[in-house]
Amino acid sequence: MNSSRTLARRAALAATAVTAALVLAACGGDDGKDTAADAPAPSSASDAGPHNDQDVSFAQGMIPHHRQAVRMAELAAGRASAAEVKDLASRIRKAQDPEIRTMSGWLEAWGEDVPSASPGMDHSGGHAAGSGMAGMMDDKDMDELSKASGKAFDTLFLTLMVEHHEGAVEMAGTEKAEGRYGPATKLADAVVTAQTAEIGEMNKLLGKTGS
C-alpha cells in the first residue's frame, strides 16, 4: 500500500469519524438492499470443465481476498458497537465462506493449487496475495483494526471494507470480461452486484454520498 493512499485513508477517517458515529446511531434496520448473502448460491465444479488461465487466477486470487474479508468480519462480532455493522459483517461471512469452498473445489477439480490458509498466511491473504492485490489490507491495517473497538472500530471497519470490496469488484470485473468457465463468470457477476450494493450501504453508514 503506498503512502499517498494511506495518508488519504487516514484523512478520510478523521473527516468521517464524527459523521459516521451520528449516522450509525440514528440508522434503523436493514434498508432492503441486495447484499452478498442474497446473491445466488454458486454451484460447485463436478468436473474440470472448459476454463482458462483467467479462471484459475480469479479463484486463486479471490480465495485469499475473501478469507481476509471474513477475518475482518469476525472481528466485528466482538468489537463493533453498531448493530448495523455487526449485521453487515455477519452477512459478509455467510456469503463469502461458501464462495471460498466453491472456488477451492474448482481449483481441485482443475488440478491447480488452492491458496494456503495456514496460520500467519491468511492474515493478509498470503505473502503473494497481500502484496499488490486490489483492495487487500496490509499487516498495519489489520493490526489497527484488531486493536480498535466501539465506534472507532465501526468507522475503521467500514472504511477499510469499502476499499476491500472495491478491489473485489475490480477482480470480478476482469473475470467477467476474460474468464471462460461459466460458473466462475456467474460468481464474478454475483460479486459485482452484491458487493457494489454493500459499498453503497457502507458509504451510507459513513455518511458519504454515492458509492
Side-chain angles (χ1 to χ4, degrees):
M1 180 174 297
N2 58 45
S3 58
S4 62
R5 188 180 71 170
T6 300
L7 290 173
R9 176 188 298 152
R10 300 299 182 262
L13 286 172
T16 61
V18 174
T19 302
L22 293 173
V23 173
L24 288 167
C27 189
D30 193 330
D31 63 5
K33 289 185 177 181
D34 291 337
T35 64
D38 300 317
S43 58
S44 298
S46 58
D47 53 40
H51 66 282
N52 60 15
D53 289 344
Q54 168 56 36
D55 297 319
V56 175
S57 177
F58 171 69
Q60 289 180 333
M62 194 62 80
I63 287 171
H65 204 277
H66 272 20
R67 283 179 182 149
Q68 188 179 71
V70 169
R71 173 58 183 152
M72 294 167 71
E74 287 172 344
L75 291 171
R79 294 185 172 276
S81 65
E84 293 79 13
V85 173
K86 291 183 178 181
D87 175 68
L88 172 66
S90 177
R91 284 183 275 127
I92 289 172
R93 289 181 62 188
K94 289 178 181 178
Q96 297 195 21
D97 265 333
E99 292 175 354
I100 291 169
R101 292 193 295 271
T102 294
M103 290 183 286
S104 296
W106 294 342
L107 292 172
E108 290 169 357
W110 297 334
E112 301 286 351
D113 292 335
V114 177
S116 172
S118 301
M121 290 288 287
D122 67 342
H123 183 65
S124 64
H127 297 307
S131 56
M133 186 180 295
M136 289 289 282
M137 301 301 105
D138 60 19
D139 287 341
K140 182 178 179 180
D141 294 320
M142 293 299 293
D143 287 343
E144 186 177 356
L145 187 65
S146 68
K147 293 174 183 176
S149 62
K151 293 180 180 178
F153 177 92
D154 295 344
T155 301
L156 183 59
F157 173 83
L158 292 169
T159 302
L160 295 179
M161 192 62 81
V162 165
E163 183 174 344
H164 203 271
H165 272 26
E166 287 172 344
V169 169
E170 178 183 332
M171 293 164 64
T174 301
E175 171 62 17
K176 287 178 62 179
E178 301 177 12
R180 181 183 179 194
Y181 187 55
T185 58
K186 183 177 180 180
L187 175 57
D189 186 63
V191 167
V192 171
T193 299
Q195 295 202 24
T196 298
E198 288 178 346
I199 289 168
E201 179 182 352
M202 290 186 286
N203 277 328
K204 182 178 178 182
L205 289 173
L206 283 167
K208 297 177 180 178
T209 58
S211 58

